[in-house]
Amino acid sequence: MNRWKYGAGAAALLVGFAVLAGTIRKTGPTAFDEAVGGWLTGLRSDGLTAFFKALSPLVSTTVFAILLVVFALLFAFVFKKRLEPLLLIVNLAVAFGLYRGLKGVFARPRPSADALIHASGFSFPSGNALMAASFYGLIAYLLYRLWKKSRPGLSWTMLVLGFALVLLIGVSRVYLGVHYATDILAGYALGGAWMLICAAIVNKRS
């Protein structure tokens, strides 16, 4: 039954992505983008800027690769799981392919002013948000599932920390001026949908 709930959630997120894709502007921000972006840039301070810049390495290719190896080995040899390591590899590979392919399809330019860091390529959907929601979300879910009976407090902590990390990564990209809010929401929608599909696969095998 749970896997049908995951499927319904994934379908709803894909509809949300389709709506966002149909409403974005390639010539600039939407009114929603301007409102959210203006609010976040208005909060800029030296401390917040340093904090959000410090999150950027967490969505680098190098860190993703390291974490993939670490958690794949952890699930395979410490937790004695067979499906989870393979699923983590497939999850990250598909997420990477999705955002790289879709950026070229939509070809939305990045915000042209007020960026605090350099970012190249197109803007929609946000690859950082997509991969964070997909990969970090799946890690948090797998740890929650692993410990939900033996260590329920720890399992819920993993979910909360995973959600907080994904949220902060998305906020940081708008705050730093390298993405519009709709880019982030689209990345969340697509990455979240793919994560839920992976979660459904795990549950089907249990």
Side-chain angles (χ1 to χ4, degrees):
M1 183 63 180
N2 280 336
R3 63 178 180 268
W4 295 111
K5 294 180 181 179
Y6 295 136
L13 288 172
L14 290 175
V15 170
F17 174 80
V19 171
L20 288 166
T23 57
I24 64 166
R25 295 176 57 194
K26 292 186 178 181
T27 56
T30 64
F32 175 76
D33 292 326
E34 290 180 334
V36 175
W39 177 67
L40 284 175
T41 55
L43 297 176
R44 284 178 175 175
S45 66
D46 291 342
L48 270 180
T49 298
F51 172 72
F52 283 129
K53 282 185 176 180
L55 293 178
S56 294
L58 295 179
V59 285
S60 67
T61 302
T62 300
V63 170
F64 276 130
I66 292 172
L67 290 177
L68 174 61
V69 172
V70 169
F71 279 97
L73 292 175
L74 190 65
F75 276 101
F77 296 106
V78 177
F79 301 139
K80 307 299 182 182
K81 301 291 183 180
R82 295 182 179 180
L83 176 61
E84 284 80 349
L86 178 60
L87 196 59
L88 286 170
I89 295 170
V90 174
N91 175 277
L92 191 60
V94 171
F96 181 79
L98 281 173
Y99 99 78
R100 289 295 296 268
L102 288 171
K103 277 182 180 288
V105 171
F106 292 101
R108 187 188 199 188
R110 290 182 183 271
S112 57
D114 297 325
L116 299 180
I117 60 173
H118 172 72
S120 59
F122 294 118
S123 191
F124 184 94
S126 166
N128 296 136
L130 191 159
M131 295 185 72
S134 174
F135 186 64
Y136 288 139
L138 182 61
I139 290 173
Y141 171 77
L142 292 177
L143 292 175
Y144 160 79
R145 188 171 178 274
L146 181 71
W147 291 321
K148 67 179 180 180
K149 292 182 179 179
S150 61
R151 301 177 182 178
L154 181 59
S155 68
W156 280 104
T157 299
M158 291 299 101
L159 276 187
V160 171
L161 289 177
F163 178 83
L165 178 61
V166 171
L167 179 63
L168 286 171
I169 286 171
V171 170
S172 74
R173 308 309 285 176
V174 180
Y175 175 94
L176 295 171
V178 292
H179 273 296
Y180 297 116
T182 45
D183 301 331
I184 302 301
L185 292 178
Y188 283 162
L190 200 55
W194 174 226
M195 186 278 289
L196 287 175
I197 291 170
C198 292
I201 293 172
V202 172
N203 275 272
K204 184 177 180 179
R205 288 291 299 272
S206 63

